[in-house]
């Protein structure tokens, strides 16, 4: 069996690491196609180096631009690759422009599509990610869902026959790389002058956030006014906004981190503030309380479990959430809920035609 995986953005490199490894162990041939949506060394190369990802067979070098530009260039450049490679399956992750590019060209060639992280919904059509994921789910042969909620969304969209509950590959990645992170960067906190559990971690990169600069700046200034060091690895989309909001007293802006250091930054944080989908989940998986700087989340279970507070871009809501006492939650149950680190193996089994139902006990956890 030959799989072509199309990816292009930071979270996709992380999701691909455990899945590519599972393919290698199963003797499945995989060719990676990097669309080039993310290209800075600290947004791309570092993940291939740290996470033992195979070197991409193709680099489409699409680069930055509007969504139509990224889509058009991606479609145009991917077409000859799939025509030449003729894979049995095209695999895509999540909801970025690279995801839809991969699914659309595969559909053109009638190549079966596997969509990892299928069935997520924010019900906010203003987000490009929402249409990317809805369209990709519609095109996919295998909608590989991380949670029971995602399964319900797929069922609601008439896709139950193609939906498989596999768990979340981001938990696979976290469990596979946490020890390597600690071994590789034993002096992480010391180097940054941080006490474990004595700082907050902030990430901010959503297009909706940077589209409301006044509100985003008000949030940053409110956070900065708290008497807590806040580590902020700044995504390139947010750089200009952050520069216009500073200088800061407590917020420490740093370059984007590699995944290994990011895991440590998350583990050591007393609290995480983020508008990232992946970081919300990792907070829950690591047992760190999270405040989400968005008006909704795809990961509603993290809110139901009391691990995540949604504040939108409202300074009042943020102020109220900042110092609330975290509840108590059961880390084992959460990890069980997200598939216990076995999602990649489940994906391999399904694509090899060996499994038709969920290997996770996710349904059994009441939230
Ligand atoms: C994209 C995804 C988003 C995902 C995020 C992960 C879409 C529609 N959005 O958003 O779902 O959460 O990736 O991080 O696909 N830039 C650089 N260097 C880079 C990459 C980007 O400077 O290596 C700058 C460019 O100015 C670019 C901007 O960041 O225009 C935004 O990048 P883009 O990939 O378009 O969107 P993201 O915000 O990264
Ligand atoms: N991440 C990272 N370095 C950073 C910020 C995030 O390695 O400086 C990781 C994070 O741990 C998670 C993933 O990137 O695994 C989330 O990606 P991002 O926030 O860019 O996108 P989203 O998940 O919102 O699509």
């Amino acid at each position: 069996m030959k799989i072509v995986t199309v990816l292009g953005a930071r979270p996709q490199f992380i999701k691909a690491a455990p899945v590519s490894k599972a393919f290698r162990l199963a003797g499945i041939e995989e060719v990676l196609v990097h669309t080039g949506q993310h290209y800075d060394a600290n947004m791309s190369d570092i993940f291939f180096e740290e996470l033992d990802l195979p070197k991409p067979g193709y680099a489409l070098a699409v680069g930055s631009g509007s969504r139509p530009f990224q889509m058009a260039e991606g479609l145009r450049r991917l077409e000859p690759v799939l025509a030449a490679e003729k894979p049995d399956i095209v695999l895509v992750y999540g909801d970025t422009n690279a995801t839809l590019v991969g699914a659309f060209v595969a559909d053109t060639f009638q190549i079966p599509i596997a969509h990892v992280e299928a069935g997520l919904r924010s019900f906010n059509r203003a987000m490009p990610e929402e249409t990317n994921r809805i369209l990709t789910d519609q095109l996919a042969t295998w909608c590989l869902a991380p949670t029971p909620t995602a399964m319900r969304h797929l069922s609601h969209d008439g896709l139950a026959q193609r939906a498989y509950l596999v768990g979340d590959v981001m938990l696979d990645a976290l469990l596979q790389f946490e020890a390597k992170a600690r071994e590789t960067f034993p002096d992480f906190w010391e180097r940054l002058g941080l006490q474990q559990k004595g700082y907050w971690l902030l990430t901010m990169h959503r297009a909706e956030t940077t589209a409301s600069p006044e509100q985003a700046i008000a949030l940053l200034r409110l956070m900065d006014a708290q008497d807590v060091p806040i580590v902020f690895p700044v995504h390139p989309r947010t750089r200009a906004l952050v520069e216009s909001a500073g200088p800061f007293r407590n917020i420490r802006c740093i370059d984007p981190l590699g995944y290994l250091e990011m895991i440590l930054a998350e583990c050591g944080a007393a609290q995480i503030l983020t508008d990232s989908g992946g970081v919300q989940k990792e907070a829950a998986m690591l047992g760190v309380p999270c405040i989400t700087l968005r008006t909704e989340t795809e990961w509603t279970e993290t809110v139901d479990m009391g691990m995540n507070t949604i504040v939108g871009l409202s300074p009042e809501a943020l102020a109220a959430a900042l110092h609330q006492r975290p509840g108590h939650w059961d880390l084992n149950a959460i990890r069980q809920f997200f598939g216990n680190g076995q999602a990649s193996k489940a994906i391999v089994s399904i694509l090899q035609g060996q499994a038709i139902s969920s290997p996770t006990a996710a349904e059994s956890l009441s939230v």
Side-chain angles (χ1 to χ4, degrees):
M1 186 189 338
K2 178 167 154 186
I3 297 181
V4 164
T5 295
V6 180
L7 33 61
R10 172 168 71 186
Q12 295 170 326
F13 311 138
I14 295 162
K15 289 165 197 171
V19 179
S20 285
K21 182 177 170 196
F23 287 154
R24 285 196 295 280
L25 289 174
I28 294 172
E29 181 188 358
E30 184 189 32
V31 178
L32 296 190
V33 178
H34 188 326
T35 67
Q37 179 169 345
H38 287 174
Y39 46 83
D40 288 346
N42 57 22
M43 295 292 289
S44 177
D45 295 358
I46 191 167
F47 300 97
F48 286 82
E49 289 153 16
E50 284 187 339
L51 309 185
D52 311 317
L53 271 166
K55 197 174 145 41
Y58 299 86
L60 305 185
V62 164
S64 296
S66 69
R67 187 165 173 233
F69 170 86
Q70 284 185 331
M71 295 292 303
E73 285 301 308
L75 295 171
R76 193 171 69 77
R77 296 175 193 208
L78 182 60
E79 181 182 357
V81 173
L82 294 192
E85 289 289 338
K86 297 185 178 45
D88 301 297
I89 295 171
V90 167
L91 185 139
V92 292
Y93 293 95
D95 53 23
T96 72
N97 295 337
T99 313
L100 186 54
V101 162
F104 193 87
V105 182
D107 181 70
T108 305
F109 287 109
Q110 291 291 288
I111 302 166
I113 298 158
H115 184 202
V116 178
E117 233 181 48
L120 295 191
R121 299 289 181 268
S122 64
F123 301 100
N124 176 0
R125 284 288 184 119
M127 294 174 72
E129 292 87 351
E130 184 76 351
T131 39
N132 287 349
R133 50 171 92 104
I134 289 171
L135 294 172
T136 304
D137 283 343
Q138 287 295 332
L139 297 175
T141 306
W142 296 276
C143 292
L144 302 163
T147 62
T149 308
M151 290 292 280
R152 281 196 288 280
H153 295 149
L154 291 166
S155 180
H156 182 265
D157 286 358
L159 301 172
Q161 298 302 315
R162 297 188 242 155
Y164 301 84
L165 181 60
V166 295
D168 196 317
V169 295
M170 289 191 78
L171 179 58
D172 297 24
L174 201 54
L175 297 178
Q176 287 178 26
F177 288 102
E178 188 179 346
K180 181 173 178 183
R182 291 183 190 279
E183 276 162 30
T184 313
F185 298 104
D187 62 344
F188 174 76
W189 293 281
E190 200 181 14
R191 193 161 25 91
L192 288 176
L194 297 169
Q195 298 285 339
Q196 290 195 51
K197 299 299 164 189
Y199 67 93
W200 297 344
L201 174 68
L202 167 65
T203 80
M204 202 187 243
H205 76 277
R206 290 264 148 222
E208 309 96 270
T209 311
T210 52
S212 308
E214 288 88 16
Q215 282 175 287
I217 288 170
L219 293 189
L220 287 171
R221 292 193 176 143
L222 173 61
M223 290 175 213
D224 192 49
Q226 312 303 310
D227 217 10
V228 182
I230 303 176
V231 179
F232 183 9
V234 182
H235 186 290
R237 179 191 279 282
T238 322
R239 219 174 273 141
L241 185 148
V242 170
E243 275 163 17
S244 68
F248 299 114
R249 271 188 324 131
N250 290 309
I251 296 181
R252 179 119 47 98
C253 297
I254 58 175
D255 286 336
L257 293 170
Y259 181 60
L260 299 182
E261 287 188 289
M262 186 64 183
I263 293 178
L264 299 180
E266 290 174 338
C267 287
Q271 175 161 263
I272 293 177
L273 302 114
T274 191
D275 61 3
S276 156
V279 176
Q280 283 176 63
K281 265 186 302 177
E282 287 166 349
M285 292 165 183
L286 292 167
V288 181
C290 183
I291 293 177
T292 293
L293 310 167
R294 286 180 49 195
T295 47
E296 74 282 306
T297 180
E298 295 79 10
W299 306 101
T300 51
E301 301 86 352
T302 60
V303 177
D304 298 341
M305 292 173 186
M307 298 173 295
N308 190 0
T309 307
I310 306 292
V311 300
L313 293 182
S314 151
E316 294 74 29
L318 175 61
L322 274 177
H323 294 288
Q324 75 192 12
R325 283 162 55 87
H328 178 72
W329 55 80
D330 177 348
L331 206 54
N332 284 334
I334 290 162
R335 291 181 173 193
Q336 183 76 10
F337 178 79
F338 283 110
N340 245 345
Q342 301 299 313
S344 314
K345 279 190 197 146
I347 289 169
V348 169
S349 300
I350 287 163
L351 298 186
Q352 286 180 324
Q354 291 171 8
I356 50 164
S357 62
S358 160
T360 80
E363 295 282 14
S364 66
L365 184 76
S366 55
V367 292

